[in-house]
Amino acid sequence: MGKITINENLCKGCMFCINSCPFHLIRITQRINPSGYYTADFIDPEEKCTGCTLCAIMCPEVAIEVYRKEKLGEKK
């Protein structure tokens, strides 16, 4: 199970993360950051995110951090 955070101050709304997410869990918001860009937002009510990191890899502004939670009984 994964989770991402998006630094709205760094996000420029390029939508690379949106296009790269295999589960379509990222959307552009109506919020405008201090630089004047509409920012991306992570929406995952069904916890579909796997933490694949594709969104973070595609982000040219390095505005995305990915976190993964270990499943019970899973070995590292």
Side-chain angles (χ1 to χ4, degrees):
M1 182 165 87
K3 178 186 175 189
I4 70 167
T5 59
I6 302 170
N7 183 328
E8 290 188 1
N9 292 327
L10 295 176
C11 180
K12 292 188 176 172
C14 67
M15 298 196 291
F16 289 160
C17 60
I18 293 169
N19 294 328
S20 67
C21 180
F23 297 103
H24 310 290
L25 302 175
I26 306 171
R27 301 197 186 345
I28 289 291
T29 67
Q30 295 299 313
R31 293 188 303 273
I32 298 175
N33 69 10
S35 299
Y37 297 102
Y38 289 103
T39 61
D41 192 26
F42 176 65
I43 302 168
D44 189 14
E46 297 174 15
E47 298 183 347
K48 289 183 178 181
C49 180
T50 62
C52 70
T53 72
L54 289 174
C55 56
I57 291 168
M58 293 301 296
C59 182
E61 304 304 322
V62 193
I64 300 174
E65 291 186 20
V66 179
Y67 302 94
R68 291 186 191 143
K69 217 186 224 187
E70 287 185 34
K71 294 179 184 175
L72 290 177
E74 186 177 277
K75 292 184 179 182
K76 288 185 179 183

